Amino acid sequence: SYFFNQGRTFATDTTYTDDLNKDASSFSSSSSLSHSMSHRIGGRISYKPTEKDEILIRPSVNFQSSDSRGETESRSWNYKLDSVSIDKIAQYRWDDFLSKNNNITGSETDSWNVRANVLWRHRLNNPGRTLSINVNGGASGSDSESTAIRKMILGGVNSNDNQMNTNDNNNSNFGGNIQYTEPIVKGLNLSLRYDINYSQSKRDTKVDYYDNESFTGSFTSDARNTNTYEQKNLRNSGELGLSYNYKTLRINASSRFQHQTLEGDQDYYLMGDADKQIYNINTKKNYFSVLPNFRLEYRTAGGTQFRINYRSNVNNPSIQNLQKSVNTTNPLRYSTGNPDLDQSRSHNVHFNM
């Protein structure tokens, strides 16, 4: 199968505000234009070498490209402009602002993704006894470039910068699972499952500040945000489950035991280091969790159906959230990670009839 999609979006917004509690007014306007294009190719191959065996292969390839442009302007005054007659404001009042911000941004991104999934199912001699093995893998990459022209005037003081960010990302993953089901007595089945997944990603980031808005000629590299980053993620999990099915009653209960290792390496330079010495931050974290799940369905003689569903889940912090490197790309908002972050856990219960 082949799928093609192309989209273009334009948006604009303007806001005038008068503060009712004090002498203050503000104005903001924004406009943006974005374009995207994607190609996706997929396939499905089914093969049955014997009556008890089936092999299913599903490959897919995806290419995407996008670009966007945007501009924002904001002003503030320490007196009211009277937004009702804003279009008739004298030019001298319009330019007598307390602060002014102009941002012009642009970005271009090209990405690709290749994946394949192979499933083998086998029915054993005993009715209800099955064995299946699933193997999957993939690779992806992206190249992006973004620019930002920032102009700020605050209290009569000008502040400008022309920033360019370039990112090169490459990712790969491999995993699989094996599942076995065994009938115990009529209506009662036991299932065993083991999963393994390994993923690796590498990202090269470069941040430069240019002397002009055309982003040509001389520039200064931002050593604090220019780095090479590699992440590894290994997850192992085993699951034990029981299912019971008798007339109008169905019960499924399982418990999953999961261990996950997150590891990240970041190479970076120190600002102002004439020797360009490479420094390294290594972060490694291990998580273990037990995740029970339960589901019950029952239909009465009158046709009323009851459902109870309980599911537990965990979300691990990303390696970026764990890493104690400071991101200063946005001069108004510095950010850093916390190596002591734990998993976030969720428990969901649903009941309906």
Side-chain angles (χ1 to χ4, degrees):
S1 63
Y2 172 72
F3 173 81
F4 171 76
N5 182 60
Q6 182 174 244
R8 184 181 294 271
T9 304
F10 175 74
T12 182
D13 180 74
T14 302
T15 303
Y16 300 95
T17 304
D18 281 339
D19 196 317
L20 298 177
N21 298 316
K22 59 182 179 180
D23 290 333
S25 295
S26 63
F27 159 83
S28 66
S29 68
S30 65
S31 62
S32 63
L33 175 64
S34 63
H35 174 256
S36 63
M37 182 184 299
S38 65
H39 304 265
R40 187 171 70 238
I41 302 173
R44 185 179 187 273
I45 303 172
S46 180
Y47 173 58
K48 290 187 176 183
T50 68
E51 292 184 356
K52 296 183 179 181
D53 295 279
E54 181 183 11
I55 299 175
L56 185 62
I57 304 173
R58 289 179 294 227
S60 65
V61 180
N62 186 24
F63 297 95
Q64 287 185 318
S65 63
S66 63
D67 61 84
S68 64
R69 298 291 182 270
E71 183 172 358
T72 63
E73 179 185 353
S74 63
R75 301 188 185 206
S76 65
W77 296 265
N78 56 1
Y79 51 80
K80 287 184 172 59
L81 288 178
D82 184 7
S83 59
V84 176
S85 57
I86 192 73
D87 294 332
K88 300 179 181 179
I89 293 176
Q91 188 65 39
Y92 80 92
R93 294 197 67 190
W94 177 255
D95 292 333
D96 187 25
F97 48 79
L98 179 66
S99 66
K100 176 183 177 181
N101 287 277
N102 284 87
N103 293 319
I104 302 175
T105 59
S107 67
E108 295 182 358
T109 303
D110 293 311
S111 61
W112 58 273
N113 186 303
V114 178
R115 292 191 58 81
N117 182 287
V118 180
L119 173 65
W120 171 64
R121 287 189 291 233
H122 177 69
R123 288 186 292 109
L124 300 173
N125 293 328
N126 190 14
R129 182 182 295 170
T130 62
L131 176 67
S132 65
I133 298 176
N134 183 286
V135 179
N136 60 79
S140 62
S142 66
D143 297 307
S144 65
E145 179 181 278
S146 62
T147 58
I149 301 172
R150 302 186 182 98
K151 300 178 181 180
M152 181 171 66
I153 303 176
L154 179 61
V157 179
N158 293 340
S159 176
N160 303 327
D161 68 61
N162 308 306
Q163 183 187 99
M164 174 181 287
N165 293 23
T166 56
N167 289 278
D168 182 13
N169 297 278
N170 290 283
N171 312 285
S172 60
N173 64 83
F174 175 80
N177 64 72
I178 180 171
Q179 185 168 355
Y180 174 77
T181 60
E182 174 70 27
I184 300 176
V185 296
K186 184 178 180 180
L188 181 63
N189 293 282
L190 170 71
S191 65
L192 298 171
R193 175 171 173 147
Y194 169 71
D195 289 80
I196 184 171
N197 184 271
Y198 176 77
S199 62
Q200 184 174 356
S201 62
K202 186 176 182 180
R203 180 182 65 198
D204 292 326
T205 301
K206 193 170 186 289
V207 179
D208 298 319
Y209 289 95
Y210 281 77
D211 298 332
N212 55 75
E213 297 181 6
S214 61
F215 294 95
T216 58
S218 61
F219 62 87
T220 302
S221 294
D222 184 351
R224 292 171 296 180
N225 294 300
T226 297
N227 56 73
T228 298
Y229 176 75
E230 186 171 0
Q231 175 179 324
K232 300 175 183 178
N233 186 346
L234 176 62
R235 185 180 72 246
N236 289 274
S237 65
E239 186 175 42
L240 173 65
L242 286 171
S243 63
Y244 179 71
N245 188 355
Y246 179 73
K247 293 184 179 180
T248 60
L249 176 65
R250 293 182 181 180
I251 300 176
N252 292 278
S254 65
S255 186
R256 180 156 52 99
F257 306 88
Q258 179 174 290
H259 180 269
Q260 189 162 2
T261 300
L262 301 175
E263 185 175 2
D265 276 293
Q266 183 176 12
D267 294 329
Y268 65 100
Y269 302 94
L270 285 182
M271 178 68 76
D273 188 352
D275 297 330
K276 296 296 182 182
Q277 181 179 351
I278 297 177
Y279 294 82
N280 177 267
I281 295 178
N282 178 270
T283 306
K284 188 173 183 179
K285 199 81 170 179
N286 292 285
Y287 297 103
F288 177 77
S289 53
V290 179
L291 304 171
N293 295 283
F294 177 80
R295 181 180 178 86
L296 182 147
E297 294 184 12
Y298 176 70
R299 184 183 296 274
T300 66
T304 303
Q305 189 171 26
F306 297 87
R307 290 191 183 94
I308 299 176
N309 187 32
Y310 163 73
R311 179 171 291 276
S312 60
N313 195 18
V314 294
N315 287 312
N316 298 318
S318 68
I319 201 69
Q320 295 95 328
N321 297 142
L322 296 169
Q323 213 157 36
K324 290 185 66 175
S325 58
V326 180
N327 186 329
T328 61
T329 305
N330 185 343
L332 300 178
R333 184 180 180 183
Y334 287 11
S335 61
T336 186
N338 178 4
D340 297 322
L341 286 177
D342 202 351
Q343 296 172 310
S344 63
R345 297 176 178 270
S346 63
H347 301 272
N348 298 290
V349 179
H350 299 276
F351 172 77
N352 56 62
M353 58 180 293

